Amino acid sequence: MSQPEKHTKDKILDAALDLFCVDGYSTVSIRDIGKAVGIKESSIYYHFKNKEDILQSLFDQSEQWTQMRKSQFNQALDAVSEIECEKFIFAGVAYLESYLLEEKINKMIRMLMMEKQRSLKAAEIYRQLFFTVPLEHHKNVFTRMRDKGYIAGDDPELLAAEYQSIILYVFHKYFSGPDIASDAERAAARLELSVLLKRFFKQHIQTAYG
Amino acid sequence: MSQPEKHTKDKILDAALDLFCVDGYSTVSIRDIGKAVGIKESSIYYHFKNKEDILQSLFDQSEQWTQMRKSQFNQALDAVSEIECEKFIFAGVAYLESYLLEEKINKMIRMLMMEKQRSLKAAEIYRQLFFTVPLEHHKNVFTRMRDKGYIAGDDPELLAAEYQSIILYVFHKYFSGPDIASDAERAAARLELSVLLKRFFKQHIQTAYG
DNA sequence: GTCTATAAATGGATAGAC
DNA sequence: GTCTATCCATTTATAGAC
């Protein structure tokens, strides 16, 4: 292994996320987390003040990942603002597959989806992740496309909302249950997303060949 | 009061839903429920076998409400298939306001949203409520509109998906946090929904005056 | 940093009186 | 139908040994 072994503190966070995202914060006991890591529950208190402290650390992590995504969005802005239909669809499918369905992020989303009902912080991160950050990015993309003449005078903010609503719809439709997404479900989701994005493209975006 | 007082069993279910939809099933104790109803916890076991039994009864209720909605949809089918833009928007806003945000249903949705990660039954009801039932109804509506010539040969199933994605988007954007929806949030949600539905209408539906 | 041991509180659930 | 009393398992968290 060239990778240094993870510190216990990180192992605890990973194990806690694994458990929280399925059973919810309060169902999971410190014992459960300790067992998953392979240490006694009392040892956890060396790394974290209490159980709530673990949850808050996971919220902090989620926030960081969301901000990272924001940076990635900004860096990729140039790449996505020139467009063909196939590339446009590919970008949306990639957003679903390598972000919303990426293992760690997906676990965070599942956890946030449960805790947002109780925790204002969780609710705020959920909003950032599913609305604030992507909407701003999409708006930037569509603004550029409009400036380049690919879109006929349409409101970029509305286009962003419409686009994100499609993403959200497919995500919730296919990945809201307790099971880990099967290959068949992933394929169905990919297909429906492609169809809806193709429609979106044809309706709103003029190709250079049109 | 002409209304007969609710039986204790129903009071227990109401109180349990109130607590479950905010804190989640496992956070809430039988003692909490008893306190909310005004009886001792042991009395609850006269009405329900155990704590899980209460949750399952609430799931059953949710399922019944979802099926009721299905019937309502079917009965209202004729009324919505002749259309002006304003009526079209009004129908969508009403779907949000007097169904998804109706007090009892909204509590059920919040509960299901948390429990669907653990419970297959909750996940299934959630799917029915947000996808299966409304998608079928929307599809019927758009099929009728197509048959009457209001829609130019578009696929009713895709239109249904696009329509529902707008509803879902607004619902999740404005009502995913722990707070009860304020009047301001409700107004903002109504406004954004109206704008998006108006767009949808102008893009897909030909008026008789066009 | 991890362990054993233990405190103190809370949880689900039952028995039996009224 | 509801109460009091009680049981027993589990939980969070701490103290102190190694």
Side-chain angles (χ1 to χ4, degrees):
Chain A
M1 293 276 201
S2 57
Q3 293 257 355
E5 185 163 343
K6 277 202 170 182
H7 292 154
T8 305
K9 187 160 187 173
D10 291 322
K11 283 192 201 167
I12 294 170
L13 286 173
D14 288 348
L17 179 60
D18 278 342
L19 296 167
F20 289 168
C21 77
V22 175
D23 295 325
Y25 172 72
S26 29
T27 314
V28 177
S29 72
I30 299 271
R31 265 186 187 75
D32 294 330
I33 300 171
K35 199 177 288 177
V37 176
I39 57 175
K40 289 291 168 187
E41 79 235 58
S42 54
S43 304
I44 292 178
Y45 289 93
Y46 174 81
H47 301 279
F48 295 92
K49 210 183 81 196
N50 52 30
K51 193 185 167 188
E52 181 70 21
D53 188 27
I54 300 175
L55 183 65
Q56 292 301 325
S57 299
L58 285 172
F59 286 166
D60 290 341
Q61 269 196 11
S62 306
E63 226 169 0
Q64 283 169 28
W65 282 67
T66 308
Q67 291 308 312
M68 270 176 49
R69 180 65 194 178
K70 196 177 172 179
S71 308
Q72 286 167 16
F73 265 148
N74 286 335
Q75 284 165 24
L77 198 54
D78 291 322
V80 288
S81 47
E82 302 206 36
I83 227 67
E84 296 165 33
C85 183
E86 271 149 40
K87 285 186 184 169
F88 181 82
I89 292 170
F90 182 81
V93 174
Y95 174 44
L96 178 72
E97 294 234 301
S98 38
Y99 185 66
L100 298 178
L101 295 182
E102 191 276 328
E103 195 183 341
K104 177 130 191 182
I105 294 166
N106 194 254
K107 285 176 186 168
M108 285 175 169
I109 292 172
R110 284 167 180 268
M111 179 184 68
L112 291 170
M113 212 150 15
M114 285 189 271
E115 304 310 327
K116 75 187 163 64
Q117 310 286 346
R118 282 191 315 127
S119 155
L120 271 173
K121 184 160 184 184
E124 176 54 27
I125 300 170
Y126 183 86
R127 278 181 70 86
Q128 290 281 330
L129 196 151
F130 267 118
F131 297 97
T132 317
V133 169
L135 283 176
E136 194 197 328
H137 170 257
H138 301 335
K139 185 184 162 187
N140 287 337
V141 170
F142 291 129
T143 301
R144 290 197 177 203
M145 290 173 82
R146 187 192 54 185
D147 294 346
K148 292 189 180 178
Y150 295 137
I151 298 172
D154 221 335
D155 183 348
E157 205 156 339
L158 281 177
L159 281 171
E162 206 177 305
Y163 183 87
Q164 187 65 9
S165 79
I166 292 171
I167 301 284
L168 201 72
Y169 170 84
V170 173
F171 181 77
H172 273 82
K173 182 171 176 187
Y174 291 95
F175 307 107
S176 58
D179 317 304
I180 297 162
S182 70
D183 287 346
E185 281 169 323
R186 289 177 96 101
R190 204 162 35 223
L191 180 65
E192 180 156 16
L193 182 57
S194 300
V195 171
L196 290 171
L197 288 180
K198 188 170 184 179
R199 244 174 101 78
F200 181 93
F201 186 90
K202 301 241 163 185
Q203 277 163 21
H204 300 298
I205 301 169
Q206 300 169 337
T207 64
Y209 328 105
Chain B
M1 291 277 200
S2 58
Q3 292 258 353
E5 185 165 342
K6 277 202 169 183
H7 292 154
T8 305
K9 187 161 186 171
D10 291 323
K11 284 192 200 166
I12 294 170
L13 286 174
D14 289 348
L17 179 59
D18 278 342
L19 296 166
F20 290 168
C21 77
V22 175
D23 295 325
Y25 172 72
S26 25
T27 315
V28 177
S29 72
I30 298 270
R31 272 183 182 79
D32 293 330
I33 300 170
K35 199 176 291 176
V37 176
I39 58 175
K40 290 291 168 187
E41 80 234 61
S42 55
S43 303
I44 292 179
Y45 288 93
Y46 175 81
H47 301 279
F48 295 93
K49 211 182 81 195
N50 51 30
K51 192 184 167 188
E52 182 70 22
D53 188 25
I54 299 175
L55 183 65
Q56 292 300 326
S57 299
L58 285 172
F59 286 164
D60 290 341
Q61 269 197 9
S62 306
E63 226 169 0
Q64 283 170 28
W65 282 69
T66 308
Q67 290 308 312
M68 268 175 52
R69 179 67 194 176
K70 197 177 172 179
S71 307
Q72 285 167 16
F73 266 148
N74 286 335
Q75 282 164 25
L77 199 53
D78 292 321
V80 289
S81 47
E82 301 207 39
I83 228 66
E84 297 164 33
C85 183
E86 270 148 42
K87 285 187 184 168
F88 182 82
I89 292 170
F90 182 82
V93 174
Y95 175 42
L96 178 72
E97 294 235 303
S98 40
Y99 185 66
L100 298 179
L101 296 183
E102 191 278 327
E103 195 183 341
K104 175 129 190 181
I105 295 167
N106 194 252
K107 285 175 186 168
M108 285 174 169
I109 292 173
R110 285 167 181 267
M111 178 184 71
L112 292 169
M113 213 151 13
M114 287 189 269
E115 304 310 326
K116 75 187 164 63
Q117 310 287 344
R118 282 190 317 124
S119 154
L120 272 174
K121 184 161 185 185
E124 176 56 25
I125 300 169
Y126 183 84
R127 279 182 70 86
Q128 291 280 330
L129 196 151
F130 268 119
F131 297 97
T132 317
V133 169
L135 283 176
E136 195 198 327
H137 170 257
H138 301 335
K139 186 183 161 189
N140 287 336
V141 171
F142 292 128
T143 301
R144 290 197 178 201
M145 291 173 82
R146 188 192 54 186
D147 293 345
K148 291 189 180 178
Y150 295 137
I151 298 172
D154 222 336
D155 183 347
E157 204 155 343
L158 281 177
L159 281 172
E162 207 177 304
Y163 183 88
Q164 186 65 8
S165 78
I166 292 172
I167 301 283
L168 203 72
Y169 170 84
V170 173
F171 181 76
H172 273 82
K173 183 170 175 187
Y174 291 95
F175 307 107
S176 57
D179 317 304
I180 296 161
S182 69
D183 287 347
E185 283 169 323
R186 288 177 98 100
R190 202 160 37 221
L191 179 65
E192 180 155 14
L193 181 58
S194 300
V195 170
L196 289 171
L197 288 181
K198 188 170 184 180
R199 244 175 102 77
F200 180 94
F201 185 89
K202 300 240 163 186
Q203 278 164 21
H204 299 299
I205 300 168
Q206 301 169 335
T207 64
Y209 328 104

PDB file of all heavy atoms in Angstrom, chain A residues 190-202:
ATOM      1  N   ARG A 190     -30.509   6.418 -16.280  1.00  0.00           N
ATOM      2  CA  ARG A 190     -29.685   7.024 -17.322  1.00  0.00           C
ATOM      3  C   ARG A 190     -30.526   7.258 -18.584  1.00  0.00           C
ATOM      4  O   ARG A 190     -30.459   8.322 -19.208  1.00  0.00           O
ATOM      5  CB  ARG A 190     -28.512   6.092 -17.625  1.00  0.00           C
ATOM      6  CG  ARG A 190     -27.304   6.757 -18.210  1.00  0.00           C
ATOM      7  CD  ARG A 190     -26.059   5.892 -18.080  1.00  0.00           C
ATOM      8  NE  ARG A 190     -26.340   4.467 -18.204  1.00  0.00           N
ATOM      9  CZ  ARG A 190     -25.803   3.547 -17.414  1.00  0.00           C
ATOM     10  NH1 ARG A 190     -24.985   3.877 -16.434  1.00  0.00           N
ATOM     11  NH2 ARG A 190     -26.086   2.272 -17.584  1.00  0.00           N
ATOM     12  N   LEU A 191     -31.324   6.247 -18.909  1.00  0.00           N
ATOM     13  CA  LEU A 191     -32.148   6.347 -20.113  1.00  0.00           C
ATOM     14  C   LEU A 191     -33.170   7.465 -20.005  1.00  0.00           C
ATOM     15  O   LEU A 191     -33.283   8.312 -20.900  1.00  0.00           O
ATOM     16  CB  LEU A 191     -32.858   5.006 -20.370  1.00  0.00           C
ATOM     17  CG  LEU A 191     -33.759   4.976 -21.603  1.00  0.00           C
ATOM     18  CD1 LEU A 191     -32.939   5.146 -22.864  1.00  0.00           C
ATOM     19  CD2 LEU A 191     -34.549   3.670 -21.668  1.00  0.00           C
ATOM     20  N   GLU A 192     -33.918   7.477 -18.889  1.00  0.00           N
ATOM     21  CA  GLU A 192     -34.954   8.512 -18.754  1.00  0.00           C
ATOM     22  C   GLU A 192     -34.341   9.900 -18.707  1.00  0.00           C
ATOM     23  O   GLU A 192     -34.866  10.843 -19.313  1.00  0.00           O
ATOM     24  CB  GLU A 192     -35.826   8.272 -17.503  1.00  0.00           C
ATOM     25  CG  GLU A 192     -36.909   9.341 -17.364  1.00  0.00           C
ATOM     26  CD  GLU A 192     -38.132   8.915 -16.561  1.00  0.00           C
ATOM     27  OE1 GLU A 192     -38.054   7.902 -15.848  1.00  0.00           O
ATOM     28  OE2 GLU A 192     -39.168   9.608 -16.655  1.00  0.00           O
ATOM     29  N   LEU A 193     -33.206  10.012 -18.017  1.00  0.00           N
ATOM     30  CA  LEU A 193     -32.532  11.310 -17.974  1.00  0.00           C
ATOM     31  C   LEU A 193     -32.109  11.755 -19.367  1.00  0.00           C
ATOM     32  O   LEU A 193     -32.294  12.918 -19.752  1.00  0.00           O
ATOM     33  CB  LEU A 193     -31.314  11.242 -17.042  1.00  0.00           C
ATOM     34  CG  LEU A 193     -30.533  12.551 -16.874  1.00  0.00           C
ATOM     35  CD1 LEU A 193     -31.428  13.666 -16.361  1.00  0.00           C
ATOM     36  CD2 LEU A 193     -29.339  12.357 -15.935  1.00  0.00           C
ATOM     37  N   SER A 194     -31.575  10.821 -20.159  1.00  0.00           N
ATOM     38  CA  SER A 194     -31.142  11.157 -21.513  1.00  0.00           C
ATOM     39  C   SER A 194     -32.306  11.663 -22.357  1.00  0.00           C
ATOM     40  O   SER A 194     -32.194  12.669 -23.069  1.00  0.00           O
ATOM     41  CB  SER A 194     -30.523   9.935 -22.197  1.00  0.00           C
ATOM     42  OG  SER A 194     -29.414   9.482 -21.468  1.00  0.00           O
ATOM     43  N   VAL A 195     -33.424  10.955 -22.269  1.00  0.00           N
ATOM     44  CA  VAL A 195     -34.598  11.339 -23.047  1.00  0.00           C
ATOM     45  C   VAL A 195     -35.074  12.738 -22.669  1.00  0.00           C
ATOM     46  O   VAL A 195     -35.339  13.580 -23.538  1.00  0.00           O
ATOM     47  CB  VAL A 195     -35.741  10.313 -22.838  1.00  0.00           C
ATOM     48  CG1 VAL A 195     -37.029  10.822 -23.451  1.00  0.00           C
ATOM     49  CG2 VAL A 195     -35.350   8.965 -23.424  1.00  0.00           C
ATOM     50  N   LEU A 196     -35.134  12.987 -21.361  1.00  0.00           N
ATOM     51  CA  LEU A 196     -35.628  14.295 -20.902  1.00  0.00           C
ATOM     52  C   LEU A 196     -34.655  15.418 -21.259  1.00  0.00           C
ATOM     53  O   LEU A 196     -35.072  16.525 -21.626  1.00  0.00           O
ATOM     54  CB  LEU A 196     -35.883  14.259 -19.389  1.00  0.00           C
ATOM     55  CG  LEU A 196     -37.083  13.406 -18.945  1.00  0.00           C
ATOM     56  CD1 LEU A 196     -37.126  13.248 -17.432  1.00  0.00           C
ATOM     57  CD2 LEU A 196     -38.394  14.003 -19.454  1.00  0.00           C
ATOM     58  N   LEU A 197     -33.362  15.121 -21.174  1.00  0.00           N
ATOM     59  CA  LEU A 197     -32.379  16.153 -21.509  1.00  0.00           C
ATOM     60  C   LEU A 197     -32.360  16.435 -23.014  1.00  0.00           C
ATOM     61  O   LEU A 197     -32.166  17.576 -23.443  1.00  0.00           O
ATOM     62  CB  LEU A 197     -30.984  15.749 -21.020  1.00  0.00           C
ATOM     63  CG  LEU A 197     -30.758  15.789 -19.513  1.00  0.00           C
ATOM     64  CD1 LEU A 197     -29.337  15.368 -19.170  1.00  0.00           C
ATOM     65  CD2 LEU A 197     -31.052  17.183 -18.943  1.00  0.00           C
ATOM     66  N   LYS A 198     -32.576  15.382 -23.778  1.00  0.00           N
ATOM     67  CA  LYS A 198     -32.620  15.571 -25.237  1.00  0.00           C
ATOM     68  C   LYS A 198     -33.776  16.491 -25.619  1.00  0.00           C
ATOM     69  O   LYS A 198     -33.625  17.410 -26.426  1.00  0.00           O
ATOM     70  CB  LYS A 198     -32.781  14.216 -25.932  1.00  0.00           C
ATOM     71  CG  LYS A 198     -32.641  14.281 -27.440  1.00  0.00           C
ATOM     72  CD  LYS A 198     -32.575  12.889 -28.051  1.00  0.00           C
ATOM     73  CE  LYS A 198     -32.343  12.972 -29.556  1.00  0.00           C
ATOM     74  NZ  LYS A 198     -32.259  11.630 -30.171  1.00  0.00           N
ATOM     75  N   ARG A 199     -34.918  16.242 -25.010  1.00  0.00           N
ATOM     76  CA  ARG A 199     -36.083  17.108 -25.168  1.00  0.00           C
ATOM     77  C   ARG A 199     -35.762  18.550 -24.803  1.00  0.00           C
ATOM     78  O   ARG A 199     -36.102  19.483 -25.531  1.00  0.00           O
ATOM     79  CB  ARG A 199     -37.172  16.629 -24.211  1.00  0.00           C
ATOM     80  CG  ARG A 199     -38.419  16.116 -24.835  1.00  0.00           C
ATOM     81  CD  ARG A 199     -39.283  15.557 -23.742  1.00  0.00           C
ATOM     82  NE  ARG A 199     -40.337  16.509 -23.386  1.00  0.00           N
ATOM     83  CZ  ARG A 199     -41.430  16.682 -24.115  1.00  0.00           C
ATOM     84  NH1 ARG A 199     -41.608  15.990 -25.218  1.00  0.00           N
ATOM     85  NH2 ARG A 199     -42.353  17.548 -23.745  1.00  0.00           N
ATOM     86  N   PHE A 200     -35.153  18.689 -23.642  1.00  0.00           N
ATOM     87  CA  PHE A 200     -34.776  20.021 -23.157  1.00  0.00           C
ATOM     88  C   PHE A 200     -33.894  20.720 -24.188  1.00  0.00           C
ATOM     89  O   PHE A 200     -34.109  21.896 -24.523  1.00  0.00           O
ATOM     90  CB  PHE A 200     -34.025  19.878 -21.830  1.00  0.00           C
ATOM     91  CG  PHE A 200     -33.593  21.175 -21.216  1.00  0.00           C
ATOM     92  CD1 PHE A 200     -34.391  21.827 -20.297  1.00  0.00           C
ATOM     93  CD2 PHE A 200     -32.366  21.733 -21.546  1.00  0.00           C
ATOM     94  CE1 PHE A 200     -33.984  23.020 -19.722  1.00  0.00           C
ATOM     95  CE2 PHE A 200     -31.947  22.928 -20.979  1.00  0.00           C
ATOM     96  CZ  PHE A 200     -32.763  23.577 -20.066  1.00  0.00           C
ATOM     97  N   PHE A 201     -32.922  19.977 -24.689  1.00  0.00           N
ATOM     98  CA  PHE A 201     -31.989  20.550 -25.663  1.00  0.00           C
ATOM     99  C   PHE A 201     -32.705  20.994 -26.929  1.00  0.00           C
ATOM    100  O   PHE A 201     -32.524  22.116 -27.409  1.00  0.00           O
ATOM    101  CB  PHE A 201     -30.904  19.523 -25.992  1.00  0.00           C
ATOM    102  CG  PHE A 201     -29.818  20.048 -26.882  1.00  0.00           C
ATOM    103  CD1 PHE A 201     -28.694  20.648 -26.344  1.00  0.00           C
ATOM    104  CD2 PHE A 201     -29.908  19.943 -28.270  1.00  0.00           C
ATOM    105  CE1 PHE A 201     -27.684  21.140 -27.151  1.00  0.00           C
ATOM    106  CE2 PHE A 201     -28.908  20.436 -29.095  1.00  0.00           C
ATOM    107  CZ  PHE A 201     -27.788  21.039 -28.523  1.00  0.00           C
ATOM    108  N   LYS A 202     -33.534  20.108 -27.453  1.00  0.00           N
ATOM    109  CA  LYS A 202     -34.226  20.400 -28.715  1.00  0.00           C
ATOM    110  C   LYS A 202     -35.151  21.606 -28.578  1.00  0.00           C
ATOM    111  O   LYS A 202     -35.361  22.358 -29.517  1.00  0.00           O
ATOM    112  CB  LYS A 202     -35.052  19.184 -29.168  1.00  0.00           C
ATOM    113  CG  LYS A 202     -34.204  17.938 -29.378  1.00  0.00           C
ATOM    114  CD  LYS A 202     -34.257  17.416 -30.798  1.00  0.00           C
ATOM    115  CE  LYS A 202     -33.095  16.474 -31.023  1.00  0.00           C
ATOM    116  NZ  LYS A 202     -32.931  15.969 -32.356  1.00  0.00           N
TER     117      LYS A 202
END
